Amino acid sequence: MITITPIPALSDNYIWVLQKDQQAIVFDPAQAHPVLDFFAKHSLELTACLLTHNHNDHTDGVAGLLERYPDLVVIGPQETAQFANQILQPEQQFGLLGLSFEVIESAGHTAGHISYLVDREYLFCGDSLFSGGCGRVFTGDYSAQFAALQRFKQLPDFVLVYPAHEYTQSNLKFAEAVMPPSCILLEYQERADILRAQHRPTLPTTIGIEKQINPFLQAVSLDEFIALRQQKDNF
């Protein structure tokens, strides 16, 4: 049985823990101590650390994890080579904990950003896709980011999406400003507000939901995506 749990970190990060029995994997450890505390509390064995891209709020915890687990397998794209001891390429496939992992190219936020599709059911997408939004295109390569979103749109609607930040409420405010009124968007906003009032995550979301409430996934052309992304940058 698979269990996926968010460990809150920094101001709005989630470090996702994928657990199977007493073995587990962490994604994008922003900090080490909350991970170490969680693993100690639940008597888990840390099997691997997976990175999506090279930003401090996704990699700063790696050093601390390696201090505690010197033989830890750290996996990531080429841009994380200073942290990772196994480097992956887009479309590469591998296995961990008896699960299948597929690497999805999702550049734009950074030049080498990747995402992980686990068992064709769980998408760990770092900062490339958020609920109701997508990452800032720091590279200026809007074409790469738009292409990443098109790849995500091809995934089955049932795929669960695990972004690395709790940005849902602010993203939905922008979605409300640029999309036609809809019952699903209103209901999703209300759900997000209730969950956050209870200090609970709004995530995961699903590809099916995002195709209905995420304006960036609804953009039908690169030009439309660029206009939306630049509008969101100044929203």
Side-chain angles (χ1 to χ4, degrees):
M1 179 179 174
I2 292 175
T3 303
I4 300 173
T5 308
I7 300 176
L10 304 177
S11 62
D12 51 35
N13 281 66
Y14 289 134
I15 303 168
W16 292 104
V17 179
L18 187 156
Q19 176 185 349
K20 187 177 180 184
D21 300 321
Q22 291 307 111
Q23 294 185 308
I25 297 164
V26 296
F27 294 84
D28 287 349
Q31 297 171 292
H33 70 270
V35 175
L36 296 175
D37 291 347
F38 181 89
F39 273 66
K41 178 180 179 181
H42 297 280
S43 301
L44 298 179
E45 176 187 346
L46 182 56
T47 301
C49 170
L50 273 58
L51 307 175
T52 60
H53 65 291
N54 185 22
H55 276 164
N56 291 345
D57 62 333
H58 295 253
T59 60
D60 272 358
V62 175
L65 296 182
L66 286 169
E67 286 181 13
R68 172 65 179 80
Y69 302 94
D71 298 323
L72 180 64
V73 175
V74 182
I75 299 172
Q78 182 61 49
E79 66 180 36
T80 64
Q82 68 193 94
F83 309 102
N85 45 46
Q86 290 189 20
I87 302 301
L88 297 173
Q89 303 299 325
E91 300 185 18
Q92 189 171 337
Q93 298 184 13
F94 61 100
L96 287 170
L97 304 184
L99 306 172
S100 65
F101 286 69
E102 179 183 343
V103 180
I104 298 178
E105 182 177 1
S106 40
H109 184 68
T110 66
H113 196 301
I114 60 173
S115 299
Y116 299 93
L117 182 62
V118 183
D119 266 13
R120 298 291 297 175
E121 291 185 52
Y122 315 101
L123 178 68
F124 296 89
C125 50
D127 287 359
S128 57
L129 178 65
F130 299 124
S131 187
C134 70
R136 287 180 178 267
V137 186
F138 290 122
T139 60
D141 191 347
Y142 292 93
S143 179
Q145 180 66 59
F146 181 68
L149 297 178
Q150 303 317 297
R151 294 185 190 99
F152 295 146
K153 284 173 67 173
Q154 298 308 309
L155 297 175
D157 285 354
F158 61 76
V159 168
L160 289 162
V161 181
Y162 297 85
H165 289 276
E166 181 58 75
Y167 289 163
T168 306
Q169 286 177 300
S170 60
N171 284 338
L172 292 179
K173 289 178 182 177
F174 176 73
E176 183 183 30
V178 297
M179 292 173 61
S182 73
C183 290
I184 187 167
L185 180 58
L186 179 61
E187 290 170 1
Y188 198 69
Q189 285 176 310
E190 291 178 350
R191 171 186 175 274
D193 290 342
I194 291 170
L195 288 171
R196 294 311 294 152
Q198 298 170 348
H199 304 289
R200 295 167 59 195
T202 61
L203 305 169
T205 178
T206 68
I207 292 295
I209 290 171
E210 291 308 307
K211 288 197 295 190
Q212 298 178 76
I213 59 96
N214 192 323
F216 299 102
L217 283 182
Q218 293 191 1
V220 296
S221 69
L222 176 58
D223 287 344
E224 183 180 347
F225 169 71
I226 292 172
L228 276 172
R229 185 60 259 181
Q230 291 179 343
Q231 187 176 351
K232 177 65 164 63
D233 291 344
N234 297 295
F235 184 70

